[in-house]
Amino acid sequence: YFQGYQLMFYKANVFKNPNSFSVYELTKVWRQKESSFLELLNRIRDEKPTKEDILLINQNYNKHLTIDADSITLTTTNRAADHINKETLLSLERTIYTSKTTFQDEEDERRFKLIEKEKIPEEISLSEDIPVIFYRNDTNNTEMQYSNGTLGRISKINTDGSGEILSIFVTVDDREIEV
């Protein structure tokens, strides 16, 4: 468990006595099938890429790539991601709904501290028919409907008369779920 509101896992009390737990190194890679690419990623992760690795990565860079509303862009900061998301959303000719961030459990204080540190946005803007990526596991249902990394598309946003969002539906793997 964590003392106070420490967010880093290595601050957990269990690490005060490193002999109190076992360490296992995972060896099976599930997401990459091509061994040469996997080895390249490992060298980059280990900060030991070769000149050939860098050339290969750069060969696949396309400076003329067209970015559209369905593109997924990996960025190094939340600020860059927020900028890309905002620009893309504003370029769409759709109704944009904005909602303030709310929490529904006892961890509200910790999460509000994350808002203060700009780790979680104070508000979010959404539109129907835009892609989304879940970054938390579904803990509200006995049968998990999504998990961290699941891709979906907003299929419906229900609002009250003033435009306040009442419910959001996302299509995941040809299933519509309420989130």
Side-chain angles (χ1 to χ4, degrees):
Y1 67 93
F2 298 99
Q3 287 185 351
Y5 292 101
Q6 294 291 333
L7 299 176
M8 306 300 178
F9 83 94
Y10 53 83
K11 300 265 185 178
N13 290 336
V14 69
F15 288 107
K16 289 180 181 175
N17 180 3
N19 297 322
S20 67
F21 58 91
S22 299
V23 175
Y24 297 92
E25 183 176 348
L26 303 178
T27 57
K28 175 74 174 154
V29 176
W30 295 96
R31 292 187 178 182
Q32 301 299 329
K33 303 292 183 216
E34 188 179 326
S35 63
S36 60
F37 185 62
L38 176 59
E39 291 166 8
L40 177 144
L41 292 177
N42 282 334
R43 286 190 297 274
I44 290 173
R45 184 196 65 218
D46 294 337
E47 297 180 15
K48 296 177 182 175
T50 65
K51 287 182 181 181
E52 291 78 18
D53 293 337
I54 301 303
L55 287 171
L56 182 60
I57 292 287
N58 287 339
Q59 276 180 341
N60 291 291
Y61 172 71
N62 181 350
K63 64 182 176 183
H64 303 293
L65 182 68
T66 302
I67 305 296
D68 61 24
D70 289 328
S71 298
I72 296 174
T73 304
L74 299 178
T75 69
T76 55
T77 65
N78 288 343
R79 181 176 295 169
D82 291 342
H83 175 76
I84 291 167
N85 290 340
K86 183 177 181 180
E87 293 298 314
T88 301
L89 196 58
L90 291 174
S91 72
L92 303 174
E93 295 181 8
R94 300 185 186 132
T95 302
I96 298 173
Y97 304 93
T98 301
S99 179
K100 290 209 174 283
T101 302
T102 59
F103 307 109
Q104 300 175 351
D105 61 30
E106 68 280 353
E107 295 185 16
D108 284 359
E109 185 179 341
R110 180 180 67 84
R111 291 195 175 120
F112 280 116
K113 287 182 180 184
L114 290 175
I115 288 175
E116 290 172 4
K117 294 178 182 179
E118 298 182 17
K119 302 288 184 190
I120 297 176
E122 265 189 82
E123 63 181 27
I124 187 168
S125 297
L126 302 168
S127 183
E128 292 179 349
D129 199 35
I130 62 168
V132 293
I133 300 175
F134 290 90
Y135 67 93
R136 296 199 47 147
N137 295 336
D138 177 11
T139 57
N140 296 322
N141 299 290
T142 54
E143 183 181 316
M144 190 182 319
Q145 298 186 63
Y146 57 86
S147 61
N148 182 12
T150 299
L151 299 173
R153 182 172 292 276
I154 296 178
S155 53
K156 185 173 17 175
I157 299 175
N158 292 325
T159 62
D160 65 8
S162 69
E164 184 173 331
I165 297 174
L166 300 174
S167 59
I168 301 170
F169 292 84
V170 176
T171 301
V172 174
D173 296 330
D174 298 323
R175 298 176 288 121
E176 187 174 71
I177 57 175
E178 184 174 6
V179 294

PDB file of all heavy atoms in Angstrom, residues 5 103-111:
ATOM      1  N   TYR A   5      -0.531  10.149  -0.367  1.00  0.00           N
ATOM      2  CA  TYR A   5      -0.962  10.152  -1.761  1.00  0.00           C
ATOM      3  C   TYR A   5       0.214  10.013  -2.713  1.00  0.00           C
ATOM      4  O   TYR A   5       0.236  10.575  -3.784  1.00  0.00           O
ATOM      5  CB  TYR A   5      -1.766  11.422  -2.061  1.00  0.00           C
ATOM      6  CG  TYR A   5      -3.082  11.433  -1.355  1.00  0.00           C
ATOM      7  CD1 TYR A   5      -3.267  12.164  -0.197  1.00  0.00           C
ATOM      8  CD2 TYR A   5      -4.130  10.654  -1.819  1.00  0.00           C
ATOM      9  CE1 TYR A   5      -4.467  12.142   0.468  1.00  0.00           C
ATOM     10  CE2 TYR A   5      -5.339  10.621  -1.153  1.00  0.00           C
ATOM     11  CZ  TYR A   5      -5.502  11.372  -0.014  1.00  0.00           C
ATOM     12  OH  TYR A   5      -6.698  11.332   0.635  1.00  0.00           O
ATOM     13  N   PHE A 103     -15.282  12.966 -10.310  1.00  0.00           N
ATOM     14  CA  PHE A 103     -14.888  11.668  -9.779  1.00  0.00           C
ATOM     15  C   PHE A 103     -16.013  11.142  -8.905  1.00  0.00           C
ATOM     16  O   PHE A 103     -16.731  11.906  -8.285  1.00  0.00           O
ATOM     17  CB  PHE A 103     -13.597  11.784  -8.963  1.00  0.00           C
ATOM     18  CG  PHE A 103     -12.493  12.450  -9.720  1.00  0.00           C
ATOM     19  CD1 PHE A 103     -12.073  13.725  -9.383  1.00  0.00           C
ATOM     20  CD2 PHE A 103     -11.882  11.811 -10.783  1.00  0.00           C
ATOM     21  CE1 PHE A 103     -11.054  14.340 -10.085  1.00  0.00           C
ATOM     22  CE2 PHE A 103     -10.871  12.417 -11.489  1.00  0.00           C
ATOM     23  CZ  PHE A 103     -10.455  13.682 -11.138  1.00  0.00           C
ATOM     24  N   GLN A 104     -16.138   9.833  -8.855  1.00  0.00           N
ATOM     25  CA  GLN A 104     -17.266   9.234  -8.148  1.00  0.00           C
ATOM     26  C   GLN A 104     -16.845   8.279  -7.045  1.00  0.00           C
ATOM     27  O   GLN A 104     -17.617   7.424  -6.662  1.00  0.00           O
ATOM     28  CB  GLN A 104     -18.159   8.495  -9.143  1.00  0.00           C
ATOM     29  CG  GLN A 104     -18.715   9.408 -10.203  1.00  0.00           C
ATOM     30  CD  GLN A 104     -19.498   8.659 -11.257  1.00  0.00           C
ATOM     31  OE1 GLN A 104     -19.495   7.463 -11.305  1.00  0.00           O
ATOM     32  NE2 GLN A 104     -20.166   9.406 -12.110  1.00  0.00           N
ATOM     33  N   ASP A 105     -15.639   8.420  -6.499  1.00  0.00           N
ATOM     34  CA  ASP A 105     -15.247   7.515  -5.431  1.00  0.00           C
ATOM     35  C   ASP A 105     -14.434   8.237  -4.377  1.00  0.00           C
ATOM     36  O   ASP A 105     -14.237   9.446  -4.441  1.00  0.00           O
ATOM     37  CB  ASP A 105     -14.506   6.283  -5.967  1.00  0.00           C
ATOM     38  CG  ASP A 105     -13.215   6.632  -6.698  1.00  0.00           C
ATOM     39  OD1 ASP A 105     -12.590   7.651  -6.354  1.00  0.00           O
ATOM     40  OD2 ASP A 105     -12.839   5.881  -7.597  1.00  0.00           O
ATOM     41  N   GLU A 106     -13.950   7.483  -3.413  1.00  0.00           N
ATOM     42  CA  GLU A 106     -13.260   8.060  -2.261  1.00  0.00           C
ATOM     43  C   GLU A 106     -11.877   8.616  -2.580  1.00  0.00           C
ATOM     44  O   GLU A 106     -11.259   9.243  -1.735  1.00  0.00           O
ATOM     45  CB  GLU A 106     -13.151   7.023  -1.141  1.00  0.00           C
ATOM     46  CG  GLU A 106     -12.224   5.856  -1.450  1.00  0.00           C
ATOM     47  CD  GLU A 106     -12.831   4.768  -2.324  1.00  0.00           C
ATOM     48  OE1 GLU A 106     -14.050   4.819  -2.607  1.00  0.00           O
ATOM     49  OE2 GLU A 106     -12.095   3.876  -2.740  1.00  0.00           O
ATOM     50  N   GLU A 107     -11.373   8.432  -3.777  1.00  0.00           N
ATOM     51  CA  GLU A 107     -10.042   8.922  -4.120  1.00  0.00           C
ATOM     52  C   GLU A 107     -10.092  10.315  -4.745  1.00  0.00           C
ATOM     53  O   GLU A 107      -9.142  10.749  -5.369  1.00  0.00           O
ATOM     54  CB  GLU A 107      -9.348   7.944  -5.061  1.00  0.00           C
ATOM     55  CG  GLU A 107      -9.062   6.608  -4.416  1.00  0.00           C
ATOM     56  CD  GLU A 107      -8.258   5.691  -5.328  1.00  0.00           C
ATOM     57  OE1 GLU A 107      -7.681   6.167  -6.316  1.00  0.00           O
ATOM     58  OE2 GLU A 107      -8.214   4.503  -5.037  1.00  0.00           O
ATOM     59  N   ASP A 108     -11.194  11.038  -4.545  1.00  0.00           N
ATOM     60  CA  ASP A 108     -11.338  12.355  -5.158  1.00  0.00           C
ATOM     61  C   ASP A 108     -10.189  13.293  -4.853  1.00  0.00           C
ATOM     62  O   ASP A 108      -9.666  13.959  -5.736  1.00  0.00           O
ATOM     63  CB  ASP A 108     -12.643  13.018  -4.703  1.00  0.00           C
ATOM     64  CG  ASP A 108     -13.855  12.439  -5.389  1.00  0.00           C
ATOM     65  OD1 ASP A 108     -13.682  11.548  -6.232  1.00  0.00           O
ATOM     66  OD2 ASP A 108     -14.975  12.871  -5.082  1.00  0.00           O
ATOM     67  N   GLU A 109      -9.773  13.365  -3.581  1.00  0.00           N
ATOM     68  CA  GLU A 109      -8.722  14.308  -3.199  1.00  0.00           C
ATOM     69  C   GLU A 109      -7.431  14.037  -3.970  1.00  0.00           C
ATOM     70  O   GLU A 109      -6.801  14.954  -4.485  1.00  0.00           O
ATOM     71  CB  GLU A 109      -8.462  14.213  -1.703  1.00  0.00           C
ATOM     72  CG  GLU A 109      -7.461  15.246  -1.212  1.00  0.00           C
ATOM     73  CD  GLU A 109      -7.232  15.160   0.288  1.00  0.00           C
ATOM     74  OE1 GLU A 109      -8.070  14.577   1.002  1.00  0.00           O
ATOM     75  OE2 GLU A 109      -6.201  15.675   0.727  1.00  0.00           O
ATOM     76  N   ARG A 110      -7.045  12.765  -4.094  1.00  0.00           N
ATOM     77  CA  ARG A 110      -5.824  12.414  -4.829  1.00  0.00           C
ATOM     78  C   ARG A 110      -5.957  12.808  -6.297  1.00  0.00           C
ATOM     79  O   ARG A 110      -5.040  13.354  -6.889  1.00  0.00           O
ATOM     80  CB  ARG A 110      -5.557  10.913  -4.722  1.00  0.00           C
ATOM     81  CG  ARG A 110      -4.297  10.496  -5.468  1.00  0.00           C
ATOM     82  CD  ARG A 110      -4.036   9.010  -5.359  1.00  0.00           C
ATOM     83  NE  ARG A 110      -5.029   8.206  -6.034  1.00  0.00           N
ATOM     84  CZ  ARG A 110      -5.009   7.928  -7.341  1.00  0.00           C
ATOM     85  NH1 ARG A 110      -4.054   8.388  -8.104  1.00  0.00           N
ATOM     86  NH2 ARG A 110      -5.945   7.183  -7.883  1.00  0.00           N
ATOM     87  N   ARG A 111      -7.111  12.579  -6.864  1.00  0.00           N
ATOM     88  CA  ARG A 111      -7.299  12.897  -8.281  1.00  0.00           C
ATOM     89  C   ARG A 111      -7.328  14.408  -8.516  1.00  0.00           C
ATOM     90  O   ARG A 111      -6.837  14.890  -9.527  1.00  0.00           O
ATOM     91  CB  ARG A 111      -8.554  12.212  -8.799  1.00  0.00           C
ATOM     92  CG  ARG A 111      -8.354  10.702  -8.861  1.00  0.00           C
ATOM     93  CD  ARG A 111      -9.421  10.050  -9.694  1.00  0.00           C
ATOM     94  NE  ARG A 111      -9.128   8.647  -9.835  1.00  0.00           N
ATOM     95  CZ  ARG A 111      -9.932   7.668  -9.431  1.00  0.00           C
ATOM     96  NH1 ARG A 111     -11.072   7.949  -8.864  1.00  0.00           N
ATOM     97  NH2 ARG A 111      -9.597   6.426  -9.616  1.00  0.00           N
TER      98      ARG A 111
END
